[in-house]
Amino acid sequence: MTLIAHVSDTHLDDGPRSAERVTRVVDYLAGLHTRVDAVLLTGDLADHGTADEYERLRGIFGRLDVPLLHLPGNHDRREEFVAAGLGPRNRAELVGDALFALVDSTIPGKDEGFIEDSVLAWLDATLDGDTPAFVCFHQPPVTVGQRFADGVRQFGEERLEAVIRRHPNVVAVLCGHFHTPTVTTFAGVPLVIAPGVTSTLIFPWEDPDGDVDLDAPPALAFHNYVGGRLTTTFKSI
Ligand SMILES: [Fe+2]
Ligand SMILES: [Fe+2]
């Protein structure tokens, strides 16, 4: 059994609101009956990507004695992200009996995502073998029916799809960026978008002019991989 807490879009800045929300999530994780095997953080960790924000983030998450699997989002800054010890931007980690491929899908200075050819080649080689694998990045390569989100999704996704379809050991794709607990499929496997810690996306069936709900509580996902089956649950804190 591999149990992962999936936390995304903390957008930590120097104000009390973000710190309170991130601390609330970490307090909740610290108090769980069963310790998670790792915490996956799918980008937009810091709101402005400053060294101070990353130091504050490390301070809050530091008291969780579990591996942290970070990858950058469009609000993170590559140099500061790596300098803060959160990199490298593309890496693979074995947690229990599952492989987590942590992929940088960001384009510096842009909100939408794109995975560079060299990174896709690395991913292709990383996924070789029969180890159950999760492919993780920030920008979802799908639309979800919300125009603000869909406009800044990951593009060039047919190249990623071809890579994933070459590797039947891929269990699921795990993303952030859309600040909404969402499940769909991509390349024939489940694709799960984590809820946002900082805010929650408003869908057109709630409010056609809506953007994000700042009052919704922070939330996270749990991925429980056991006996070859992934079960994902969501929790508001
Ligand atoms: Fe975000
Ligand atoms: Fe984002």
Side-chain angles (χ1 to χ4, degrees):
M1 167 178 153
T2 302
L3 180 65
I4 302 294
H6 184 180
V7 177
S8 200
D9 294 83
T10 45
H11 287 262
L12 192 68
D13 58 19
D14 62 0
R17 178 183 180 277
S18 63
E20 189 277 325
R21 291 172 82 91
V22 179
T23 302
R24 212 190 312 175
V25 171
V26 171
D27 284 348
Y28 169 76
L29 291 173
L32 288 176
H33 179 269
T34 301
R35 201 177 76 145
V36 297
D37 295 303
V39 177
L40 171 65
L41 294 154
T42 46
D44 284 356
L45 308 181
D47 200 36
H48 308 96
T50 66
D52 283 354
E53 290 173 348
Y54 291 124
E55 194 180 325
R56 199 167 301 119
L57 188 87
R58 288 180 61 111
I60 297 174
F61 277 94
R63 68 192 183 86
L64 289 179
D65 186 25
V66 298
L68 301 176
L69 310 177
H70 316 91
L71 57 87
N74 50 305
H75 279 253
D76 295 297
R77 288 215 297 248
R78 286 183 174 180
E79 227 169 81
E80 288 80 355
F81 182 89
V82 172
L86 305 181
R89 295 184 290 111
N90 299 286
R91 65 186 170 115
E93 295 281 342
L94 201 57
V95 180
D97 55 2
L99 183 77
F100 287 78
L102 309 173
V103 180
D104 182 2
S105 64
T106 67
I107 312 165
K110 305 239 178 188
D111 290 330
E112 67 269 30
F114 182 86
I115 300 179
E116 296 162 14
D117 286 345
S118 61
V119 176
L120 280 179
W122 166 83
L123 177 64
D124 201 11
T126 297
L127 294 175
D128 265 346
D130 55 9
T131 305
F134 292 84
V135 178
C136 314
F137 41 71
H138 185 62
Q139 286 99 340
V142 295
T143 57
V144 295
Q146 207 280 0
R147 68 181 188 280
F148 297 114
D150 291 349
V152 292
R153 69 182 180 93
Q154 182 188 136
F155 293 89
E157 72 278 8
E158 62 288 340
R159 299 148 51 251
L160 172 66
E161 176 170 2
V163 169
I164 291 176
R165 285 194 184 276
R166 273 200 289 278
H167 299 281
N169 53 314
V170 173
V171 176
V173 176
L174 308 176
C175 334
H177 190 48
F178 283 177
H179 299 206
T180 177
T182 300
V183 179
T184 182
T185 56
F186 178 76
V189 296
L191 180 147
V192 181
I193 303 171
V197 170
T198 189
S199 64
T200 297
L201 192 67
I202 297 172
F203 279 89
W205 51 86
E206 299 175 276
D207 176 357
D209 301 316
D211 182 357
V212 291
D213 181 351
L214 295 169
D215 295 325
L220 75 161
F222 287 100
H223 304 297
N224 187 16
Y225 183 65
V226 55
R229 169 173 288 152
L230 173 67
T231 301
T232 297
T233 56
F234 299 98
K235 180 77 180 179
S236 295
I237 309 299

